[in-house]
Amino acid sequence: MEYSEDESDQNDYLEDHESDDDQMQDVQLNTSNNLTNVGNENDESVHKGDAHKGDEKLENFSSIYKPPTNEEIQGLKETTDLYKSNLFKLQIDELLSEVSIDFSKTTSLENILHKLKEIFENINDQPDLSIIDAKSMLLKKHDITIPFPDPQPSDDVKYKFGFKKPSAFYLVGSYPLKSVIRSRNGFNVDVVVIMPKSIFQEKDYMNYRYFYKRAYYLAVLSATLQDKGLALNVSVEFGAFFGDRRRPIILLKPLKNNSDPDFSALNFTIRILPCIPMDLFSTQRLSPSRNNIRPQNFQDLSQIPQQQQSVDSLPPTPQYNSAILRDMYCVSHLNLLYKNSKDCPAFNDACKLAKVWLHQRGISGDEDGWSGFNGFVWKMLMCYLLHDGGVNGGKKLANGYSSYQLVKGTMDFLANHDFIRNPLFMNKLDESEEFSEKSFTENFDVVFVDNSGKLNLLCGMTKTALEQ
């Protein structure tokens, strides 16, 4: 309501110039008479001067009290239609401005990301090594211990560990979508590096072999970045992605040493996530009902008795399988979120509001991300509700909704939907026997399957956590 400030000025103007109405009428009459009585030059000049002053006043009046633009009218209409009140909208706008990142001030961060890309593009390939040689080389040359998950691999494994430069790099997560928010711990910038197919074998999805090779790959990346750390002015350390020790990541944090350039004021953490192409492993081998961890005393597949290689003879490993699938579909999820953010203008602002809400309830940190609910799952749920989840198979949310309406609609769905009786599938058209509803519900407490139809986004959530 930007015109309300000028209303008092307008009233004062009209009150102070009520006496001028007659004068203006005289000016108009005299001007009309002068058109026919052009002989009196003195009267004509006087009346022209008065007319000029009147026109000047009207011009000043119109310049101050311009009619609203189309954009302003649209904003007023949205405030009326999409929010409870004008004050409520102002409060939401103020909250968003407080938690949003000013991307015009992230030039130094962008420079680091470009340098990272150059480092990855020029990194040297490493020869294939045995596990003993791989651990020895990294420990002696770089003082790095490979972050193998438990159980640790034995020193007599037959397969080799290789390293070749990444085949692709992607910015993923909230930063490229511009839905990142500031918090006490700063904000994260996620960089995915795609490990090439050539360093893996067909059955590396079994017995932690994929996770062991992934950990070695990450350690070599860490060694390279450690050498470049001072040039980048960042520290290099390991972390666990959403608390999952099978999926270690590299954390790059600004050094607070007042050097040039000094990035510490931005308070960011760059997280480097090794991932794999979607077609590296057969997804049928990674279904919820499959077992991919053989007894620990059989490291070599050829030594496993034939009867124990049967899928039915061993319990399924749905959490293990889901961890591999997460690395396969990371980029696919980014593409889905990007498309929905373009189709729904308020999508990113709704994600910011949701993160604030999750932070206030302490359920959005890394320690809760794998086992519970986080900002990523919220965004995927909004994507689902923009296409499904409504009455009679319709949409729960619409692309034209405001950020407040998107958040409110998603909260309403979370509060009322029975996830136990009605599992969610973003794409049920591609359902197969291996990834059927029965296969998911028998192996997970809570089910919300992503757009690939293969990965349960709530694979680690328990019924108790859902009730909370």
Side-chain angles (χ1 to χ4, degrees):
M1 305 296 292
E2 58 188 18
Y3 304 105
S4 60
E5 297 178 2
D6 295 330
E7 288 179 1
S8 59
D9 294 339
Q10 182 179 359
N11 292 333
D12 292 342
Y13 178 92
L14 293 175
E15 289 175 2
D16 293 342
H17 293 80
E18 283 179 355
S19 60
D20 291 344
D21 289 345
D22 295 336
Q23 183 180 353
M24 291 295 295
Q25 293 176 1
D26 291 341
V27 170
Q28 293 174 354
L29 290 172
N30 289 333
T31 303
S32 176
N33 291 335
N34 286 333
L35 291 175
T36 55
N37 302 317
V38 293
N40 192 338
E41 294 180 359
N42 291 332
D43 289 344
E44 182 180 0
S45 62
V46 171
H47 290 305
K48 279 187 176 180
D50 291 342
H52 177 70
K53 290 179 181 178
D55 292 341
E56 204 173 76
K57 291 177 181 179
L58 290 173
E59 278 185 21
N60 292 336
F61 185 88
S62 62
S63 64
I64 296 174
Y65 304 103
K66 290 181 179 178
T69 63
N70 290 335
E71 182 178 352
E72 290 168 338
I73 292 174
Q74 181 64 25
L76 291 171
K77 185 177 185 302
E78 287 180 358
T79 300
T80 303
D81 296 344
L82 305 182
Y83 296 89
K84 290 181 177 180
S85 66
N86 184 41
L87 178 60
F88 185 65
K89 182 181 185 302
L90 291 174
Q91 290 173 332
I92 288 180
D93 290 343
E94 180 66 19
L95 174 61
L96 288 172
S97 67
E98 288 292 327
V99 300
S100 297
I101 302 298
D102 186 353
F103 284 87
S104 65
K105 297 181 180 179
T106 58
T107 304
S108 56
L109 172 57
E110 296 291 339
N111 290 337
I112 291 183
L113 294 175
H114 285 296
K115 289 179 181 178
L116 272 179
K117 184 175 183 294
E118 291 177 6
I119 292 173
F120 292 148
E121 288 176 339
N122 296 299
I123 195 170
N124 295 324
D125 295 346
Q126 302 287 335
D128 292 351
L129 300 174
S130 67
I131 186 170
I132 295 177
D133 292 337
K135 291 194 294 185
S136 176
M137 181 270 293
L138 286 166
L139 188 60
K140 290 181 179 179
K141 288 186 177 181
H142 305 282
D143 194 26
I144 291 177
T145 300
I146 302 175
F148 288 129
D150 292 326
Q152 297 276 317
S154 63
D155 289 343
D156 59 352
V157 294
K158 305 300 181 183
Y159 51 86
K160 301 287 187 179
F161 292 80
F163 180 90
K164 290 181 172 56
K165 71 178 182 179
S167 57
F169 326 87
Y170 299 97
L171 271 178
V172 299
S174 298
Y175 185 79
L177 295 174
K178 298 191 183 303
S179 62
V180 65
I181 66 168
R182 292 181 292 184
S183 66
R184 293 178 182 177
N185 299 323
F187 63 96
N188 296 322
V189 180
D190 295 336
V191 179
V192 161
V193 294
I194 303 297
M195 298 179 286
K197 294 181 180 180
S198 57
I199 66 172
F200 295 100
Q201 295 175 307
E202 180 183 358
K203 292 188 177 181
D204 277 350
Y205 59 86
M206 299 185 69
N207 292 340
Y208 285 89
R209 281 167 51 171
Y210 164 71
F211 295 110
Y212 296 151
K213 291 186 176 182
R214 182 188 187 279
Y216 170 74
Y217 194 92
L218 191 75
V220 175
L221 284 179
S222 178
T224 304
L225 293 173
Q226 198 173 73
D227 295 339
K228 306 287 185 180
L230 292 178
L232 294 173
N233 200 28
V234 294
S235 64
V236 183
E237 58 189 75
F238 290 127
F241 194 50
F242 289 139
D244 186 3
R245 299 296 175 182
R246 290 167 297 199
R247 303 171 69 212
I249 58 176
I250 294 175
L251 304 176
L252 303 180
K253 299 181 180 180
L255 293 173
K256 298 180 180 180
N257 53 10
N258 298 320
S259 61
D260 186 24
D262 184 4
F263 313 115
S264 57
L266 287 175
N267 196 18
F268 65 85
T269 299
I270 297 176
R271 306 191 298 186
I272 299 178
L273 292 61
C275 291
I276 49 179
M278 285 193 297
D279 58 350
L280 177 61
F281 300 128
S282 169
T283 55
Q284 302 301 317
R285 303 288 184 181
L286 299 170
S287 70
S289 58
R290 288 277 186 151
N291 175 282
N292 286 309
I293 303 177
R294 301 297 188 258
Q296 292 183 6
N297 58 322
F298 294 114
Q299 290 292 337
D300 188 278
L301 295 180
S302 63
Q303 299 178 26
I304 301 177
Q306 186 64 37
Q307 66 271 20
Q308 290 191 8
Q309 293 190 33
S310 171
V311 175
D312 298 330
S313 64
L314 294 171
T317 54
Q319 300 294 342
Y320 174 96
N321 301 348
S322 296
I324 299 177
L325 289 170
R326 281 181 179 271
D327 282 354
M328 293 174 65
Y329 290 109
C330 184
V331 177
S332 172
H333 294 154
L334 172 67
N335 293 334
L336 175 68
L337 294 172
Y338 179 79
K339 181 181 183 303
N340 280 271
S341 68
K342 289 300 181 184
D343 294 339
C344 180
F347 186 88
N348 288 336
D349 282 346
C351 293
K352 294 177 186 178
L353 294 176
K355 288 180 182 178
V356 172
W357 184 78
L358 291 170
H359 273 291
Q360 290 175 341
R361 282 146 186 83
I363 55 176
S364 61
D366 285 357
E367 68 277 4
D368 297 307
W370 176 256
S371 60
F373 203 86
N374 62 8
F376 167 70
V377 177
W378 179 286
K379 285 185 280 190
M380 294 296 284
L381 180 58
M382 278 207 308
C383 289
Y384 168 77
L385 296 178
L386 283 167
H387 300 88
D388 209 329
V391 180
N392 298 325
K395 303 175 184 178
K396 174 70 175 179
L397 306 177
N399 288 332
Y401 277 11
S402 68
S403 57
Y404 161 71
Q405 288 177 312
L406 291 172
V407 172
K408 182 181 177 182
T410 307
M411 285 183 177
D412 178 72
F413 184 84
L414 285 171
N416 296 291
H417 184 77
D418 189 342
F419 282 84
I420 306 302
R421 294 184 178 180
N422 300 301
L424 298 184
F425 288 81
M426 296 186 74
N427 180 14
K428 212 167 184 178
L429 296 177
D430 294 337
E431 183 179 318
S432 62
E433 183 178 352
E434 291 283 356
F435 293 94
S436 64
E437 180 176 328
K438 180 181 178 182
S439 177
F440 281 105
T441 54
E442 286 181 349
N443 293 286
F444 298 109
D445 284 353
V446 187
V447 175
F448 173 31
V449 180
D450 73 341
N451 54 314
S452 71
K454 307 293 190 298
L455 173 62
N456 179 18
L457 299 172
L458 296 176
C459 56
M461 179 174 278
T462 63
K463 293 179 180 180
T464 303
L466 176 65
E467 291 174 358
Q468 294 175 347

